[in-house]
Amino acid sequence: MSFIYIWISTIVRMLELKVENLSPEMKATLKYLAGIAGPSGYGSKTTAQQISEDSMPSSHNLTAIVTGATSGIGLETARVLAKRGVRVVMPARDLSKAERVKEIIQKESPQAEIIILEIDLSSFGSIQRFCSEFLSLGLPLHILINNAGKYSQKLEFSEDKIELTFATNYLGHFLLTEMLLGKMVETAAESCIEGRIVNVSSVIHNWVNPKHFSFMKLLNPKSYNGTKAYAQSKLANILHAKELSRQLKAKKANVSINAVHPGIIKTGITRDYRGFLTDSLYFVASKLLKSTSQGAATTCYVALSPRVGGTSGKYYADCNESHCSALANDESNARKLWKQTRALMHRRFLLPVGKCGEEGEEVSITN
């Protein structure tokens, strides 16, 4: 609920000042509350369905992989893409849950093609198996949406002995992207359709203190705070998009990668806090939250809209290009994190160093 308190304090401060004296952050909050459209023509109240209806004339014959598609905004993203005619591949840890989601989507869109493949994004071995299975299908790959997210209140480790939030949210998606990037570049070249990678991040990345952003500590922290770990993983998602975008541009590949903040989505947690918040503050808090469809809108916009064509390495919120933190915009930091991550993968015998970056360059993973 920390998000809510920040938003509420901003609203209270707004009420104390004249509109012309508001800071850019406060004006942005006011714009968010009102649902005012930005340069793209969309705003905070736009839904994924609206984006889909205004997007590419035909999305048939496109193939998309959407992680975390068995619930929340991932499910809504998969539903909207499938309804648009996109073949959707759903990587899932819980296959029975994925089958139920498939039934729900196909009940609404009987012609939808949904492919379910098993994956555990916190496990390097599982990701390798998923990628091998997907590539063996001989399908093209136009869209990769790295949506799945993990938040853990207590310190947990993956089977690779890496802090679970960082392993799932960042390292898992990094490896997935690396192993499928060749297929995306190939598909884009053969189809002449720009490949699009979307990293679902969060505005919470702004909370990361540069002094505490250490690769080794992210892998195996001595002390643990769930919110801090989540924020750091979401910062890493943006840095990944920034550096991979630079590399793809250098290679003149017809593939883009961008990061998005979906917004704060309505869940049952707000009801749990109603006894603590006054009725007036609860009312304000409820207006700050998005529906699931509104939360999926920015992801669908970046994945489908022709207006985003040719744009890469950017950060989007409310279906418009937005500002991320200075740390997230630091190119040297992005490059350093990418090298450290590649070195870790190399050490685990997963990927040869230099596959998508500097050929043969060995990098220490110490920070």
Side-chain angles (χ1 to χ4, degrees):
M1 289 297 290
S2 300
F3 295 111
I4 303 302
Y5 298 130
I6 290 174
W7 283 103
I8 290 175
S9 65
T10 302
I11 298 302
V12 171
R13 181 63 176 153
M14 281 179 175
L15 297 175
E16 297 172 349
L17 297 171
K18 293 181 179 180
V19 174
E20 59 267 24
N21 295 328
L22 295 179
S23 68
E25 292 78 11
M26 291 180 177
K27 288 180 180 178
T29 301
L30 190 60
K31 193 173 182 179
Y32 171 90
L33 287 171
I36 298 172
S40 69
Y42 304 114
S44 62
K45 305 305 181 186
T46 301
T47 65
Q49 187 64 44
Q50 287 175 284
I51 295 294
S52 172
E53 292 169 356
D54 296 342
S55 64
M56 299 175 183
S58 175
S59 300
H60 291 280
N61 300 319
L62 295 185
T63 300
I65 292 177
V66 184
T67 69
T70 57
S71 64
I73 62 173
L75 191 160
E76 177 64 6
T77 300
R79 184 192 72 82
V80 168
L81 290 177
K83 189 174 183 179
R84 190 66 184 171
V86 178
R87 177 193 292 116
V88 177
V89 178
M90 293 174 50
R93 186 170 56 179
D94 187 336
L95 297 181
S96 60
K97 187 176 182 180
E99 287 292 348
R100 291 194 294 273
V101 169
K102 179 179 178 178
E103 289 177 9
I104 292 171
I105 293 175
Q106 290 184 327
K107 185 174 182 179
E108 179 184 7
S109 306
Q111 303 305 314
E113 185 177 355
I114 310 292
I115 299 172
I116 297 171
L117 298 176
E118 188 173 12
I119 196 172
D120 177 353
L121 274 166
S122 71
S123 164
F124 294 156
S126 178
I127 294 167
Q128 284 183 301
R129 289 189 292 274
F130 166 83
C131 290
S132 295
E133 190 172 357
F134 170 76
L135 294 173
S136 71
L137 298 176
L139 296 173
L141 181 58
H142 304 89
I143 301 169
L144 172 61
I145 298 178
N146 293 320
N147 165 81
K150 171 72 178 178
Y151 175 86
S152 179
Q153 291 186 335
K154 62 180 182 179
L155 179 59
E156 299 178 86
F157 290 91
S158 69
E159 67 177 42
D160 300 297
K161 297 181 172 47
I162 295 171
E163 190 278 309
L164 193 59
T165 299
F166 192 63
T168 305
N169 296 356
Y170 169 64
L171 291 176
H173 283 125
F174 182 99
L175 179 58
L176 181 69
T177 302
E178 288 291 297
M179 298 195 73
L180 297 175
L181 192 56
K183 172 56 70 173
M184 292 200 73
V185 171
E186 175 188 297
T187 298
E190 292 177 350
S191 65
C192 295
I193 298 173
E194 179 188 52
R196 297 191 184 186
I197 304 169
V198 183
N199 281 1
V200 178
S201 181
S202 170
V203 70
I204 198 176
H205 81 272
N206 284 284
W207 296 10
V208 178
N209 186 328
K211 295 179 181 179
H212 300 151
F213 192 68
S214 163
F215 189 71
M216 287 303 293
K217 291 178 181 177
L218 290 169
L219 298 177
N220 187 12
K222 300 303 180 188
S223 60
Y224 182 79
N225 176 283
T227 301
K228 180 191 288 187
Y230 184 79
Q232 290 173 328
S233 71
K234 292 302 172 180
L235 170 63
N237 289 147
I238 300 176
L239 292 171
H240 175 216
K242 296 281 185 181
E243 174 57 18
L244 185 53
S245 172
R246 183 192 70 80
Q247 294 181 19
L248 289 167
K249 287 176 182 176
K251 292 177 178 293
K252 298 187 180 345
N254 189 23
V255 176
S256 65
I257 177 169
N258 293 288
V260 304
H261 165 53
I264 308 166
I265 316 303
K266 289 179 183 176
T267 66
I269 193 170
T270 52
R271 291 189 296 271
D272 296 337
Y273 276 77
R274 189 163 188 175
F276 176 74
L277 298 170
T278 65
D279 286 343
S280 59
L281 288 183
Y282 177 83
F283 174 78
V284 173
S286 67
K287 298 305 178 185
L288 297 172
L289 304 178
K290 289 186 175 185
S291 67
T292 303
S293 186
Q294 290 168 344
T298 305
T299 299
C300 290
Y301 175 71
V302 175
L304 292 176
S305 176
R307 300 177 190 180
V308 184
T311 304
S312 190
K314 304 299 183 181
Y315 173 75
Y316 287 82
D318 300 328
C319 303
N320 286 275
E321 191 176 329
S322 188
H323 299 287
C324 51
S325 69
L327 182 56
N329 264 325
D330 190 324
E331 292 182 6
S332 62
N333 216 27
R335 190 166 187 174
K336 180 180 179 181
L337 178 64
W338 189 89
K339 287 181 177 180
Q340 290 171 321
T341 308
R342 290 287 306 191
L344 173 67
M345 300 299 178
H346 176 64
R347 192 179 69 169
R348 299 296 176 98
F349 305 104
L350 295 172
L351 295 171
V353 172
K355 179 181 176 184
C356 294
E358 292 68 23
E359 294 300 325
E361 185 171 8
E362 191 82 45
V363 185
S364 170
I365 63 171
T366 57
N367 201 14

